[in-house]
Amino acid sequence: MQISAAALLAVVALSVILGASSDGDYSSTVAKVKTVKGKKLCDKGWECKGWSKYCCNLTISDFFQTYQFENLFSKRNTPVAHAVGFWDYQAFITAAALFEPLGFGTTGGKLMQMKEVAAFLGHVGSKTSCGYGVATGGPLAWGLCYNREMSPMQSYCDDYYKYTYPCSPGAEYYGRGALPIYWNYNYGAAGEALKVDLLNHPEFIEQNATLAFQAAVWRWMTPIKKSQPSAHEAFVGDWKPTKNDTLAKRFPGFGATMNLLYGESVCGQGDIDAMNNIVSHYQYYLDLMGVSREEAGPHEVLTCAEQVAFNPIKPAVTASS
């Protein structure tokens, strides 16, 4: 029997509700601590559960609260937005809780943690924005305007994956979510990781904000290829570039996250609008979270303007002898 995405995630949402105080404060958690083989491990209940070293740090709700979410996405529920009433703080925190024991928003000290949340949401805001140059509040205030592609030109079914991620009859795999998912193989992989049948029911993503955020954080935390870092690892500095990476001008930082998530569609082309838009959202969110823009690093770290793509669509052109 199939269980709807809403029902499947209700248990997680309920744990958040029970873990919060009656006034809606999600930050009140008591840490359990133990030492295993000389390493300190913690469990903070609903938000960071499972005896992890990362749970000994601040959790996201300790430094990023409802009013900050509202500031970052201040125009998402205006009448002209396309996903009014869909996205909210609780959905984000509930989704993040699944990955905080793995280091999402819980790696390093408070500054790094705030920067990672701003970086992740910078991608989200830029990919779901309906802001434009003269939009009320400025073009960067309109993140989370969408939860789906409005006018898909195709169903995004790639028959090459018919044995691993076969397209479900009638299903359409157009862009949905906080970091929009496209194609049957991406829905299939995300569904396997989140234990939700997204291959047969891709529509679940646009029906449940917690699931939509979970899929986005999963993409942030998961390498596209085993030989490569995740966006998370590249951002927090857990990734150590190889000599080839250095020659390709790939360095840990926000620029590398764009490279890993979008490749040559935004990277390696100089300071193009597509790249600058994502960077601007990140910087705008840093401002609103009270973090200096200087903390984002120099141009070669902040951007991917000169980086060679990790996963080029076309093979590199070499000079003939």
Side-chain angles (χ1 to χ4, degrees):
M1 179 179 67
Q2 292 292 339
I3 302 175
S4 71
L8 189 61
L9 291 167
V11 174
V12 179
L14 180 61
S15 70
V16 172
I17 294 169
L18 294 175
S21 64
S22 59
D23 63 356
D25 177 12
Y26 293 91
S27 63
S28 54
T29 54
V30 178
K32 299 176 183 177
V33 183
K34 68 179 180 180
T35 302
V36 178
K37 296 181 179 179
K39 293 183 179 180
K40 181 181 176 183
L41 305 177
C42 299
D43 185 318
K44 289 188 176 178
W46 68 266
E47 190 178 0
C48 204
K49 190 172 184 62
W51 297 112
S52 164
K53 66 177 183 178
Y54 298 109
C55 297
C56 298
N57 298 329
L58 295 174
T59 54
I60 292 176
S61 66
D62 288 328
F63 60 84
F64 184 69
Q65 298 171 11
T66 305
Y67 78 92
Q68 292 166 301
F69 183 91
E70 295 297 329
N71 287 342
L72 267 59
F73 304 108
S74 60
K75 300 296 183 181
R76 75 186 191 283
N77 288 328
T78 56
V80 296
H82 300 279
V84 174
F86 184 76
W87 304 104
D88 60 27
Y89 174 80
Q90 180 178 321
F92 171 63
I93 291 298
T94 307
L98 187 65
F99 298 92
E100 289 186 58
L102 303 177
F104 176 66
T106 51
T107 297
K110 182 179 180 181
L111 176 61
M112 175 57 75
Q113 294 173 259
M114 294 176 72
K115 285 169 58 178
E116 183 178 12
V117 169
F120 169 77
L121 292 176
H123 283 279
V124 168
S126 68
K127 293 301 176 182
T128 58
S129 175
C130 57
Y132 54 97
V134 295
T136 304
L140 303 177
W142 290 80
L144 295 181
C145 175
Y146 296 99
N147 65 357
R148 55 160 289 179
E149 183 180 5
M150 299 305 294
S151 300
M153 301 298 291
Q154 58 173 304
S155 61
Y156 297 96
C157 174
D158 188 340
D159 207 41
Y160 177 81
Y161 295 89
K162 62 184 178 182
Y163 295 114
T164 51
Y165 298 119
C167 297
S168 180
E172 295 188 11
Y173 302 98
Y174 56 75
R176 299 177 177 91
L179 288 179
I181 306 173
Y182 293 83
W183 299 103
N184 51 307
Y185 48 88
N186 287 321
Y187 277 93
E192 285 179 349
L194 299 174
K195 297 179 173 56
V196 179
D197 187 6
L198 296 180
L199 193 61
N200 288 308
H201 296 284
E203 71 278 4
F204 284 171
I205 293 290
E206 63 184 275
Q207 294 172 352
N208 187 290
T210 300
L211 181 60
F213 273 129
Q214 282 184 337
V217 182
W218 170 79
R219 178 72 285 159
W220 178 262
M221 298 294 292
T222 306
I224 292 175
K225 292 184 178 179
K226 291 183 178 180
S227 60
Q228 296 172 359
S230 65
H232 162 76
E233 290 169 328
F235 186 82
V236 302
D238 286 348
W239 165 59
K240 306 303 179 187
T242 65
K243 182 179 179 180
N244 285 340
D245 288 319
T246 303
L247 291 173
K249 300 183 178 180
R250 298 190 290 251
F251 310 103
F254 188 74
T257 70
M258 291 189 286
N259 194 332
L260 289 160
L261 293 173
Y262 319 120
E264 61 194 22
S265 65
V266 301
C267 296
Q269 303 180 56
D271 292 311
I272 62 172
D273 288 345
M275 182 198 74
N276 286 335
N277 180 55
I278 304 169
V279 172
S280 293
H281 277 82
Y282 172 42
Q283 293 177 316
Y284 176 68
Y285 294 166
L286 285 176
D287 288 343
L288 292 179
M289 292 175 67
V291 178
S292 170
R293 291 189 176 203
E294 294 182 357
E295 296 292 347
H299 186 268
E300 64 269 20
V301 172
L302 175 61
T303 79
C304 59
E306 306 302 326
Q307 292 186 16
V308 177
F310 278 96
N311 298 300
I313 298 172
K314 295 174 289 188
V317 177
T318 57
S320 57
S321 56

